[in-house]
Amino acid sequence: MAKRRPSGDGMVRKREDGRWEGRIVVGHKSNGDSIFRYLSAGSQKELLAKLHRNIEEYRNVDLREESKMPLGEWLDRWLEEYAAPSVRPSTLEGYRGYVERNIKPRLGNKPVGKITVEDIRQLYRELQEHGRQEEHPQYGYKLAGSTVRRIHGVLHEALDAAAQEHLIARNPTDGIILPRKKAAPKQVLNNAQLERFMTAIQEDKVWHDFFYTELTTGLRRGEICGLMWQDFDEAHGTLTVRRTIHAERGGRLTAGETKTGAGKRIITLPPSTAQLLSERRKRSYTEWIFPDPLRPERPTRPNAAYVRMKELLKKAGLPSIRFHDLRHTFATHALASGVDAKTLSGILGHTQASFTLDTYTHVTGDMQKRASEIVGGFMENIMVR
């Protein structure tokens, strides 16, 4: 077996073309042979400066031979061995999407051990300018800063694991300046719009109960799709939220845990909602409160609920809001009606009431009008004294 040379050990020479070349030991193969990193420069002084910087970078680092594997190969391995056992199926599918669509096409073939900080910066610049595969009517091919930040989160975790496995000396994503996160504006149905939406669902015998329950509970889309009759306590008028439905690759549905620990909760239903579910239970022949209309042995598909909501909004002449905005609508009107933030955070499944307040700092036009009327009346009472 060859004698092991310490990592950081190096040598220099002048090539026939006049440039200077050097190498340092950055690790060892399984048989003990050295793994070298080669550097070149136009002068000996410049080369020695490069070598010094690299010797410092690789000090106390002993890379393995696998550091030459392509980044794409490492990302596949990381997804299966590191991510899959620790995240929800829907989260894992999201990670796969970022890897396949955004990272692999640009850096997938480069050896993981040679990924540099500049490679990462260039990746994020390209994603911001033309990261979409299909043109968006409003944003073109640009990716939102929040999406680039999520891609960074995946790549950062994968390269952290690579550093732990001695495939890279340092995580090149550390310290990268990320684009600002611009949260999508919340869209809330005001009183008049909510009345129009309620009229639209009233005419839909299949989906009325689903959307009425959503608007009076603010459940997440996967949570309301995952409700079973065992979760409904008719005697006490409560609903236990204990699971969420995920759609995996290929369309298969799975029931998983709620988004957070606080997501497992018991909520007291409004009397009208409790009555609605009591009547619905009498007609039900499946374990799911809201089964798939065509395959009642299965829960409603989250995407089917989204599509039907869009159709109802269009029919009512309302803005094309997101499904999550129905949750925002419930929360905003609850606060406007006097529900305190602590109680509302428990209903929504938030970990802290402060998060609920931070999330719903916005107000609707109806709330502003009501506030102005209250203040106006208060001032008028003072003036007439």
Side-chain angles (χ1 to χ4, degrees), residues 13 23 43 167 187 234 264 272 277 364:
R13 71 181 182 90
R23 69 182 188 185
S43 68
L167 303 185
Q187 299 184 76
E234 188 172 353
K264 293 182 178 180
S272 60
L277 293 182
T364 66

Side-chain angles (χ1 to χ4, degrees), residues 90-117:
S90 59
T91 302
L92 183 64
E93 288 304 303
Y95 287 1
R96 288 191 196 280
Y98 293 141
V99 166
E100 296 296 334
R101 291 192 306 268
N102 306 115
I103 303 176
K104 276 188 178 182
R106 294 168 176 84
L107 288 177
N109 293 326
K110 188 165 186 175
V112 64
K114 292 187 177 181
I115 301 293
T116 65
V117 172

Side-chain angles (χ1 to χ4, degrees), residues 369-383:
K369 185 173 183 294
R370 189 175 298 113
S372 68
E373 291 170 350
I374 293 172
V375 174
F378 171 73
M379 295 301 293
E380 288 172 6
N381 289 335
I382 293 178
M383 296 298 288

Side-chain angles (χ1 to χ4, degrees), residues 228 285-288 290-300:
M228 304 177 76
Y285 52 90
T286 173
E287 62 183 343
W288 303 99
F290 301 112
D292 184 318
L294 299 179
R295 307 185 73 172
E297 73 278 7
R298 298 183 179 182
T300 287

Side-chain angles (χ1 to χ4, degrees), residues 340-346 350-359:
D340 65 277
K342 180 68 175 178
T343 300
L344 181 59
S345 69
H350 289 165
T351 305
Q352 296 179 330
S354 59
F355 177 80
T356 305
L357 285 174
D358 289 342
T359 304

Side-chain angles (χ1 to χ4, degrees), residues 230-246:
Q230 66 187 43
D231 305 324
F232 176 49
D233 185 337
E234 188 172 353
H236 296 90
T238 61
L239 200 59
T240 301
V241 183
R242 52 167 62 97
R243 76 188 65 78
T244 187
I245 297 298
H246 305 290

